[in-house]
Amino acid sequence: MKPHPEKPYGLNVSWVEEPETRRGRADGILILKEDWQFLITLDYQRYEFTVPRGFALDGPSVPWFGRALVPRNDQTEAPADVHDVLYAFRGEFTVKGSGQRLILSRYDCDSLFLIGVLKMHLARWRSVLASSVLWISGWVAWQCASKTDIANRQLKVSVRALENKEACDDCGMETSQDCQFAACTHSR
C-alpha cells in the first residue's frame, strides 16, 4: 500500500466520546464507570480498543516543573487517557480474532498523545510543550510498572482490527456516517 501524501506516518488516534469516570482515590486516580472505546491507526491499519470499566486512569499527570504551562482540562484529558492505557501495557496488545501482536513503541504512544491534543485544539506551542514534558518524564513510567499499571493489566483491553474503509481524519469514523465528535468537520 502506498503511503498517503498527507499522512506520511500512518499514525492517528480518535474517540467518539470522552470516558466517563469517577474519582477513585485521593491521589487523583480516576476509575472508568463504563467501557470506553477509541481508535488507533498504525501503519494504515485501524484498531478499535475497548477499555473495560474499572480501569484506572491518572489523566494528564504533569510533573511539578510543567504544571504552569500544561493545562489539565478537556483538551488534554482524553488524549492522556489513551496514553495511560497504552503505557499500562507498554504498548503490547493481542488483536482479537487473529491473535496478531500489536506493538506500539514508546515513540508511537507519545506521538498519539500529541496528535490527540492537537485534535482537541490545544494551542500548538502548548501541545508540543506537553508532549515534550511527557517525553522527558515518561521514561520512568515506561520502564517501571506502577501499582495502578499492575492492577490495570488484570483487566483485559480488547483490541480488534477494523476493515480499512475511508475514514475521517478527525474522528476515525467512516465518512458516510454523521459524526458526534466535537472537533470533527467531516459531517458539517
Side-chain angles (χ1 to χ4, degrees):
M1 176 182 279
K2 284 186 173 180
H4 189 287
E6 294 173 14
K7 298 187 240 175
Y9 304 110
L11 189 64
N12 204 347
V13 63
S14 57
W15 52 91
V16 176
E17 296 177 350
E18 292 189 24
E20 246 189 83
T21 58
R22 63 177 166 79
R23 182 84 38 213
R25 302 190 307 241
D27 59 1
I29 298 295
L30 302 173
I31 309 297
L32 284 180
K33 285 184 181 180
E34 55 189 45
D35 292 357
W36 178 54
Q37 293 181 325
F38 61 90
L39 300 174
I40 287 181
T41 304
L42 179 67
D43 296 329
Y44 305 100
Q45 173 62 54
R46 292 183 330 152
Y47 297 94
E48 177 186 72
F49 285 68
T50 302
V51 185
R53 70 185 178 101
F55 200 93
L57 306 162
D58 66 357
S61 49
V62 180
W64 64 269
F65 58 86
R67 288 186 187 140
L69 299 170
V70 180
R72 186 176 179 130
N73 60 24
D74 290 345
Q75 293 174 308
T76 58
E77 284 290 335
D81 293 341
V82 168
H83 190 264
D84 287 351
V85 171
L86 301 177
Y87 260 51
F89 293 91
R90 289 199 187 126
E92 294 185 24
F93 300 91
T94 302
V95 178
K96 197 175 185 175
S98 70
Q100 167 197 359
R101 286 178 44 102
L102 172 63
I103 299 176
L104 295 146
S105 68
R106 182 174 165 231
Y107 177 80
D108 292 335
C109 297
D110 292 347
S111 296
L112 287 165
F113 172 79
L114 176 60
I115 291 166
V117 293
L118 286 169
K119 283 185 171 193
M120 294 301 289
H121 303 289
L122 186 64
R124 185 177 272 308
W125 71 270
R126 280 200 172 190
S127 298
V128 171
L129 182 65
S131 185
S132 299
V133 168
L134 179 72
W135 178 252
I136 292 166
S137 62
W139 68 270
V140 172
W142 188 261
Q143 299 301 324
C144 309
S146 69
K147 289 179 185 176
T148 303
D149 289 344
I150 292 168
N152 279 338
R153 288 182 192 152
Q154 304 306 311
L155 300 168
K156 298 294 182 208
V157 171
S158 169
V159 179
R160 173 173 82 94
L162 301 177
E163 289 183 36
N164 282 328
K165 295 182 180 177
E166 190 171 329
C168 171
D169 289 333
D170 288 326
C171 68
M173 292 177 66
E174 291 178 36
T175 52
S176 60
Q177 298 174 334
D178 282 333
C179 181
Q180 303 301 314
F181 187 53
C184 182
T185 57
H186 88 258
S187 60
R188 294 181 190 153

